[in-house]
Amino acid sequence: MKKKILVTGGTGYIGSHTTVELINSGYEVIIVDDLSNSELSVLDGIEKITGIKPGFVKFDLCDRERLMQFFEDEKNITAIIHFAASKSVGESVQKPLKYYRNNLVSLINLIEGMQQHNVTRMVFSSSCTVYGQPDTLPVSENAPVKPAASPYGNTKQISEEMLQDVLSSDEILHCISLRYFNPIGAHPTGWIGEHPMGKPENLVPYVTQTAIGLRSHLRVFGIDYHTPDGSAIRDYLHVVDLAKAHVAAINRMLEGKQKDNYEVFNLGTGKGYSVLEIIHTFEEATGVKVKYVITDRRPGDVEKVWADTTKANRELGWYAKSSLAEALVSAWKWEQYYRKNYRKP
Ligand code: UD1
């Protein structure tokens, strides 16, 4: 019998790509999502790619009773990957309580549900935002966690602390927190990808929406940073590589290979690219020009950050394999497919 993985937020961007990789690796997937920031049509994309439609149940994890009922109904969950969370940095500054409620209450409910129903393994979706602007680069898992720059970032820090506290009091529970750098791109088929609702905040969806004519121009937030071309540097990794890291984390847990019941891994490529390099690589790889203007820095942005991936490479046996150009081409393929089939420019 296939092992069943609960993927919360499984119709979201990273969740949907991870669902594909889990199915391709022989797992059964059941998704819980409230569709507050994703669309049901994602399930069709997953089915088109894998030939299998994952199980799906719609509810909000903050609804404790509904979640407990779900655990009653689904008795044989082997492990959980918990993506479901609100993730807009800007919105979190405007509506902090929405973030504290959605991201923390849901996690508390989920852990209690696990404890009551003997589900012992969880992979948690965290972020490199916990490092702020690191003192040294590349940034390893041992780098100090810096005060959060936004309520969103704070929810990730608090979630990690909560997990650590719970796991030191409950040695049966096991968790791996994955700290993502900047996930970009889409499945190479172009059948699933990122669906930003409204105006995108992240760079690559803004680039592809500008390229397709939905936005008049991209703003480059500052070229006065201490970097070779003056624009800020991030570690952009292909979302399919990131999805595969989740499968590696699940395998590690289920094979009993964890060295501690709480582990943390950085997931990136180990290489940083500037905003201008992203634009130019996109233009070269797709042949499409992106109109841009230089503006002031965006408040709260760090100057440069990229990952030390040694631990993930060594312990998870995982490497980010795709090039930046491949990731950008897949994002472009998805943007065109999405506009043609779902949302017209
Ligand atoms: C942001 C969040 C991070 C969060 C992640 C989730 C901030 C400060 N950080 O990461 O906490 O985990 O999203 O997806 O918001 N850029 C432009 N023009 C644009 C958009 C972005 O120049 O229209 C630049 C940014 O200034 C930055 C880079 O592109 O230098 C990447 O930006 P983005 O994709 O928003 O990611 P982060 O800011 O790294």
Side-chain angles (χ1 to χ4, degrees), residues 51 88 122 141 219 223 249 307:
S88 158
M122 179 199 274
E141 293 80 356
R219 288 171 299 161
I223 53 158

Side-chain angles (χ1 to χ4, degrees), residues 1-253:
M1 212 174 75
K2 286 182 179 178
K3 293 191 169 121
K4 194 189 279 185
I5 312 295
L6 163 59
V7 179
T8 76
T11 46
Y13 174 44
I14 307 172
S16 57
H17 290 83
T18 301
T19 296
V20 165
E21 296 309 320
L22 285 167
I23 293 173
N24 286 344
S25 305
Y27 289 104
E28 183 183 342
V29 175
I30 180 147
I31 292 172
V32 168
D33 201 302
D34 67 356
L35 300 178
S36 58
N37 197 25
S38 59
E39 296 174 22
L40 208 50
S41 58
V42 171
L43 298 178
D44 300 331
I46 295 171
E47 186 178 13
K48 206 167 162 186
I49 295 167
T50 63
I52 293 176
K53 198 162 196 162
F56 176 79
V57 190
K58 178 177 181 270
F59 68 90
D60 179 349
L61 295 169
C62 291
D63 183 344
R64 194 171 184 282
E65 265 177 50
R66 182 65 191 87
L67 177 61
M68 295 308 155
Q69 185 58 50
F70 171 83
F71 276 114
E72 287 292 325
D73 298 342
E74 296 288 335
K75 292 237 180 286
N76 52 349
I77 291 169
T78 308
I80 297 175
I81 307 183
H82 180 42
F83 292 107
S86 299
K87 64 167 187 182
S88 158
V89 173
E91 188 192 39
S92 80
V93 176
Q94 304 302 323
K95 300 179 184 167
L97 283 180
K98 172 177 172 185
Y99 278 69
Y100 287 108
R101 181 185 304 281
N102 278 354
N103 296 2
L104 300 179
V105 174
S106 57
L107 180 61
I108 294 170
N109 288 346
L110 202 56
I111 299 170
E112 285 179 346
M114 291 172 75
Q115 287 178 322
Q116 286 172 25
H117 294 86
N118 299 321
V119 180
T120 58
R121 303 284 189 272
M122 179 199 274
V123 174
F124 177 69
S125 207
S126 190
S127 166
C128 72
T129 192
V130 302
Y131 300 118
Q133 176 61 64
D135 302 328
T136 49
L137 289 166
V139 54
S140 83
E141 293 80 356
N142 300 324
V145 166
K146 294 274 178 73
S150 69
Y152 158 77
N154 208 20
T155 66
K156 290 293 169 192
Q157 291 189 6
I158 296 170
S159 296
E160 283 202 28
E161 286 167 3
M162 206 155 79
L163 283 165
Q164 264 174 294
D165 288 344
V166 173
L167 272 85
S168 52
S169 75
D170 180 347
E171 58 187 28
I172 305 290
L173 278 186
H174 284 64
C175 177
I176 293 180
S177 283
L178 299 177
R179 292 178 178 162
Y180 314 149
F181 283 65
N182 289 55
I184 59 163
H187 195 269
T189 57
W191 294 337
I192 55 170
E194 195 170 359
H195 293 231
M197 302 274 191
K199 222 178 191 185
E201 288 187 15
N202 295 115
L203 178 63
V204 171
Y206 216 107
V207 167
T208 57
Q209 288 196 7
T210 306
I212 209 159
L214 199 58
R215 312 277 160 209
S216 61
H217 60 274
L218 170 77
R219 288 171 299 161
V220 173
F221 295 138
I223 53 158
D224 56 352
Y225 286 107
H226 296 107
T227 59
D229 65 24
S231 61
I233 294 179
R234 298 286 184 276
D235 185 338
Y236 297 91
L237 82 156
H238 196 304
V239 67
V240 173
D241 280 328
L242 179 60
K244 288 179 177 164
H246 290 75
V247 179
I250 286 284
N251 291 342
R252 176 177 178 85
M253 297 183 121

